[in-house]
Amino acid sequence: MSSRQEKPIGVVPELYVVGAGPGDPELLTLKAYRILQTAAVILYDNLANQELLALAPAGCECLYVGKKPYGDYTPQETIHELILEKTRARGRVIRLKGGDPFIFGRGFEEILFARAHGIATHYIPGISSMQALGSEDIPLTHRIVSEGVWMVTGTKKDGSLSVDLRLAMQSNSTVVIYMGLKKAAEIAAAYCEMGKGDTPAAVVQHLTLPQRKLAVGPVRHLPALVASQQITYPALIVIGGVVGLGHTVPMAGSA
């Protein structure tokens, strides 16, 4: 007999990459709600609310494969191996990711990997944390105030500050920065160099959850804003006139 492991008869390997939303479990989409109840295996991230695992059927295997910045993490290669192993052995695997899987979530990398191995794939979008900023009275766009939205990563793969951020700073659009806390001082300095240090900014952690934190002020004070509320990952930085629509932004010279 061949040593190659064959999938059980009747098992159809398939992967669902599913967005868990910004935190509040009630912000899950109806389609995601339905699919979670059919899972054979759920591979869930650090940012996916674990209350959603209660939707899984009896016998579903739930495996944590999260990544905590600058801490313990599951290598992407290991996640790929689990996708391959579990879809072949058990059929329907749900890859549950916080926010939307295709916004800085590496969800499409996993889709491509699965397809390359003959696994059927499906994508269910989630509400991004960026979209949830409205729950803190920060609209992404507002007539006259903001002409659009830039969403950028604060830190590139090589650890440097995103070049796109400097392009975004030249526009009148809202700038939303993911994974930017470690670069808060550099971001503030870049705005000051461009003469835009007084631009309203906010740092928000745990959007839509009871333990959420918010700090608002001029972007030149960005590191102090982070420290004032002891904000840590996961958090978003949003910069632009829209921040001042629902919040009083202290003057740049104030403490």
Side-chain angles (χ1 to χ4, degrees):
M1 291 181 62
S2 170
S3 60
R4 181 172 175 269
Q5 185 178 11
E6 300 290 344
K7 68 178 183 291
I9 296 174
V11 169
V12 178
E14 58 179 346
L15 173 71
Y16 278 80
V17 176
V18 177
D24 183 346
E26 292 188 336
L27 291 175
L28 189 73
T29 66
L30 287 174
K31 188 167 187 177
Y33 178 89
R34 177 177 60 82
I35 290 298
L36 281 169
Q37 295 177 75
T38 70
V41 179
I42 298 175
L43 304 176
Y44 65 97
D45 268 3
N46 180 51
L47 297 181
N49 193 321
Q50 294 186 30
E51 290 182 26
L52 297 176
L53 301 180
L55 297 173
C60 176
E61 184 179 7
C62 298
L63 299 174
Y64 174 74
V65 291
K67 300 175 183 177
K68 296 181 179 179
Y70 321 117
D72 295 336
Y73 71 98
T74 303
Q76 191 64 42
E77 294 75 14
T78 299
I79 295 172
H80 286 173
E81 291 170 4
L82 284 170
I83 288 172
L84 188 59
E85 173 193 342
K86 298 301 181 180
T87 54
R88 287 179 172 176
R90 303 201 58 189
R92 179 168 292 179
V93 171
I94 308 298
R95 182 69 173 96
L96 187 63
K97 292 174 167 284
D100 181 272
F102 283 8
I103 299 181
F104 302 119
R106 303 186 72 170
F108 199 59
E109 291 181 34
E110 294 166 3
I111 290 278
L112 293 176
F113 172 83
R115 288 178 183 171
H117 289 82
I119 300 166
T121 62
H122 311 271
Y123 164 62
I124 300 179
I127 296 174
S128 168
S129 53
M130 176 181 73
Q131 293 171 282
L133 283 165
S135 64
E136 295 294 341
D137 284 343
I138 302 173
L140 290 175
T141 63
H142 190 78
R143 190 172 55 167
I144 301 175
V145 176
S146 173
E147 298 176 358
V149 182
W150 287 72
M151 57 176 180
V152 299
T153 176
T155 307
K156 298 195 302 181
K157 188 175 181 179
D158 64 4
S160 63
L161 189 66
S162 172
V163 175
D164 282 351
L165 176 59
R166 294 187 182 276
L167 296 175
M169 290 163 51
Q170 299 175 45
S171 74
N172 291 321
S173 297
T174 306
V175 179
V176 180
I177 304 172
Y178 287 73
M179 299 169 286
L181 286 190
K182 196 173 182 180
K183 295 291 185 179
E186 291 183 51
I187 293 168
Y191 270 86
C192 289
E193 288 170 10
M194 193 167 284
K196 293 190 173 185
D198 291 337
T199 305
V203 190
V204 190
Q205 182 182 14
H206 296 309
L207 273 165
T208 77
L209 295 173
Q211 67 270 31
R212 65 186 180 276
K213 296 179 180 179
L214 171 69
V216 174
V219 70
R220 68 169 69 244
H221 288 170
L222 195 56
L225 295 177
V226 173
S228 69
Q229 297 297 319
Q230 298 181 318
I231 294 175
T232 59
Y233 183 87
L236 281 182
I237 298 171
V238 55
I239 305 167
V242 293
V243 174
L245 293 174
H247 299 272
T248 300
V249 179
M251 296 297 293
S254 62

